[in-house]
Amino acid sequence: ALDLLQQDRPEIADQPGRIPEERDRQLAVLYHQFNLAVALLRTGDAQRGLSLLDQIGHLDAGDDELLLALRDKANTRMGWYFLVARQGTTAASALGRVRSEGPFANVALLGMGWAQLVPKGEPLPKRRLSASSVPVLDPAPASAGAANPADQASDALRPAGADGLFEIAPVKDPQVALGRALRAWSLLTPRDPQDPAVQEGVMAVAYVYDQLGARQSAEEAFTAAIQMLEALRKQTQADRA
């Protein structure tokens, strides 16, 4: 799934003539900061890179589709960074801010499932940035939409915001964690099977059933995954013919 996030320049950026010149300049600054954040993560300056992603991830984007997509990508990138760092709670928090129907929703759902199965982890420190480092468009307050810790213990999927996915706080009980991962990945199964995140999610559902000891459900899920992949193989062959 990490391969899905390797295109660090948002593909939505190059749309000339669609936005006013001033807005274009503002967006260009934000795109630059996103790419800078990714570069900082890759070169070892995680605190500054994560702080930049966190600011972009809390932007008050309104109904601006370009900003919404960039905010989603920042939160998805940050969530998967914390997954690799085995920081499940922080990963779930970032992924929960991604829109349920945006271009990064599937990758975020996939990550939300894995966030239940990695260690909860401890919060990582973020470096305070200078005024010249913050985005041109003011981010929303970090506390906006914050969930009550008591609510985070709930086993239900909860909306993380007006248009966000959901947030499931990771737990220590492995059986409960598997069940929560299953909830996230089950939301992927009816989505576009050509999406690699959906393909991985379908196979992950079978894995969870197997780990839970639900042999029949696991067999049915593995069969469904094989049938999906076989159908995609045949479709690919037909398209090349």
Side-chain angles (χ1 to χ4, degrees):
L2 290 174
D3 292 340
L4 304 176
L5 294 174
Q6 292 307 309
Q7 295 180 348
D8 298 323
R9 178 180 180 182
E11 59 275 10
I12 56 175
D14 188 16
Q15 299 190 32
R18 291 192 57 190
I19 46 182
E21 183 177 349
E22 178 61 28
R23 191 61 168 174
D24 197 1
R25 285 196 294 268
Q26 293 176 330
L27 289 167
V29 171
L30 290 169
Y31 296 143
H32 167 74
Q33 291 186 343
F34 174 86
N35 291 333
L36 174 61
V38 173
L40 288 168
L41 292 179
R42 289 179 171 176
T43 56
D45 192 348
Q47 289 187 7
R48 188 162 179 247
L50 291 171
S51 292
L52 279 170
L53 286 179
D54 189 57
Q55 289 179 341
I56 298 171
H58 281 92
L59 282 174
D60 183 2
D63 60 356
D64 188 318
E65 182 59 34
L66 293 174
L67 279 181
L68 287 168
L70 181 60
R71 186 181 69 185
D72 284 350
K73 188 164 190 178
N75 282 315
T76 305
R77 167 68 72 169
M78 186 160 53
W80 276 91
Y81 176 90
F82 284 118
L83 279 178
V84 173
R86 303 179 72 78
Q87 302 281 326
T89 298
T90 308
S93 179
L95 294 168
R97 291 193 293 268
V98 179
R99 289 176 298 161
S100 60
E101 297 299 331
F104 301 99
N106 292 347
V107 182
L109 274 171
L110 181 64
M112 184 66 78
W114 287 118
Q116 310 310 308
L117 304 182
V118 301
K120 294 177 65 176
E122 297 295 332
L124 299 182
K126 289 181 290 186
R127 176 178 175 182
R128 183 175 297 277
L129 304 177
S130 66
S132 62
S133 298
V134 299
V136 173
L137 302 183
D138 293 334
S143 60
N148 187 311
D151 293 336
Q152 290 184 339
S154 170
D155 195 36
L157 300 184
R158 300 181 299 99
D163 58 358
L165 279 172
F166 53 80
E167 184 178 336
I168 321 173
V171 293
K172 292 183 178 179
D173 187 313
Q175 296 293 304
V176 176
L178 284 166
R180 293 185 175 189
L182 180 61
R183 291 187 180 198
W185 290 332
S186 293
L187 296 176
L188 279 172
T189 57
R191 300 193 177 202
D192 183 4
Q194 297 190 54
D195 188 327
V198 173
Q199 297 169 21
E200 185 173 339
V202 170
M203 291 184 286
V205 166
Y207 162 79
V208 169
Y209 279 131
D210 183 65
Q211 293 297 303
L212 290 171
R215 303 306 180 195
Q216 182 174 347
S217 295
E219 182 177 347
E220 292 173 353
F222 277 121
T223 299
I226 292 171
Q227 291 174 343
M228 177 195 69
L229 294 173
E230 180 63 18
L232 288 171
R233 184 187 67 82
K234 291 180 179 179
Q235 181 180 338
T236 300
Q237 289 180 337
D239 291 342
R240 291 176 176 175

